[in-house]
Amino acid sequence: MILQLEDKGRSLVARLNGEIDLQVADALRTALDRAMGEKGTRNLVLNLSSVSLIDSSGLGVILGRYRRLLQNGGRVGLVGPGPTVKRVLELSGLLRIMREYASEGEALAGLEPGDGNGGRGDDR
Amino acid sequence: MTDSGRLTAAPSATKALNEMTISLLSQPVNLGLARVAVAAFFSQLDLVLSELEEIKVAVSEAVSNAILHGYGRQPDRWIEVSAAVYPDWLEIAVEDRGYGFSGDDQAAGGDGEEEGGMGFALMRSFMDEVVLVSAPGQGTRVVMRKKVRGAVAPGKPIAGNC
């Protein structure tokens, strides 16, 4: 698995690649938590367009980050899952609590209304 | 193949048209191998890509369960993954000789229950039948079946590019 991270204001964009399973879950969790902690991330955008497979171990990582961010009023946006990945997200209920966006830009705009720019801190 | 006789999840009365079995150590790095091996075996059937992808997820869940729950992440135990083609369905079995559990344990859940529950939900969604046989100290065997339209007859030439 290859992970690319990009800081976008109060949001962190994470581009995942390959098969997200038990083999990579621990490393992915650690990398995301480190980046989110360092940057004080409020929202997480997960670009899944290059993910070829995700199973419950991968879902667990996403759900854990969602819960962590939710404590501070943050959210997780999902971008570009392929058909089977999307099916897994639907069946697991993740798409009931996280929104899917067509692009990273839409996700960033949707998660940070106010256009980033320091934000208005209207936490809930 | 000799049936170890310890766990027999609903043995099929019908004879398989084709079968394969691989044994791999209980290490997460082998998940990819298990998925690819099963998918490659079933490439003899006329499955669409999404079906193969769903089968891969189901295999991933079953083998992950063996690693996590069957063996508690011990990396040096054996997991047997087998796949078979029947006239109207395909079958995948994943067996460990690990801790096993009773029905009560299963209901109790516990740590990782959520992901474990999710895993089984995915297996049930992607396959038509999932049978789980386990007993404390005797390991766990999961058998998953999926209906396939008009499975190949034995000896039928592989379609190739035509």
Side-chain angles (χ1 to χ4, degrees), chain A residues 19 21 55-56 67 84, chain B residues 29 35 53-54 60-61 114:
Chain A
E19 301 182 312
D21 63 5
D55 67 11
S56 61
R67 291 200 173 124
T84 304
Chain B
V29 71
R35 287 191 296 258
E53 288 180 346
E54 292 174 0
S60 209
E61 299 297 349
E114 214 163 81

Side-chain angles (χ1 to χ4, degrees), chain B residues 66-117:
Chain B
I67 293 171
L68 290 173
H69 307 300
Y71 292 129
R73 283 188 183 258
Q74 297 172 83
D76 56 351
R77 306 292 303 275
W78 289 103
I79 297 171
E80 200 168 86
V81 178
S82 51
V85 176
Y86 287 89
D88 299 310
W89 73 94
L90 62 80
E91 189 172 292
I92 301 159
V94 174
E95 183 168 350
D96 68 62
R97 308 286 170 87
Y99 299 132
F101 56 86
S102 67
D104 294 344
D105 295 339
Q106 194 185 6
D111 192 37
E113 173 202 8
E114 214 163 81
E115 285 165 43

Side-chain angles (χ1 to χ4, degrees), chain B residues 10-127:
Chain B
S12 302
T14 315
K15 192 169 160 40
L17 301 173
N18 193 6
E19 291 180 82
M20 75 115 191
T21 298
I22 57 171
S23 293
L24 35 90
L25 283 177
S26 49
Q27 299 174 13
V29 71
N30 288 331
L31 279 164
L33 169 64
R35 287 191 296 258
V36 167
V38 171
F41 177 76
F42 286 133
S43 69
Q44 65 193 284
L45 298 174
D46 198 15
L47 301 176
V48 298
L49 182 63
S50 65
E51 288 175 313
L52 280 173
E53 288 180 346
E54 292 174 0
I55 286 169
K56 280 184 172 185
V57 173
V59 169
S60 209
E61 299 297 349
V63 177
S64 293
N65 280 342
I67 293 171
L68 290 173
H69 307 300
Y71 292 129
R73 283 188 183 258
Q74 297 172 83
D76 56 351
R77 306 292 303 275
W78 289 103
I79 297 171
E80 200 168 86
V81 178
S82 51
V85 176
Y86 287 89
D88 299 310
W89 73 94
L90 62 80
E91 189 172 292
I92 301 159
V94 174
E95 183 168 350
D96 68 62
R97 308 286 170 87
Y99 299 132
F101 56 86
S102 67
D104 294 344
D105 295 339
Q106 194 185 6
D111 192 37
E113 173 202 8
E114 214 163 81
E115 285 165 43
M118 221 185 256
F120 275 108
L122 291 175
M123 284 190 255
R124 291 204 183 92
S125 300
F126 289 156
M127 307 293 286

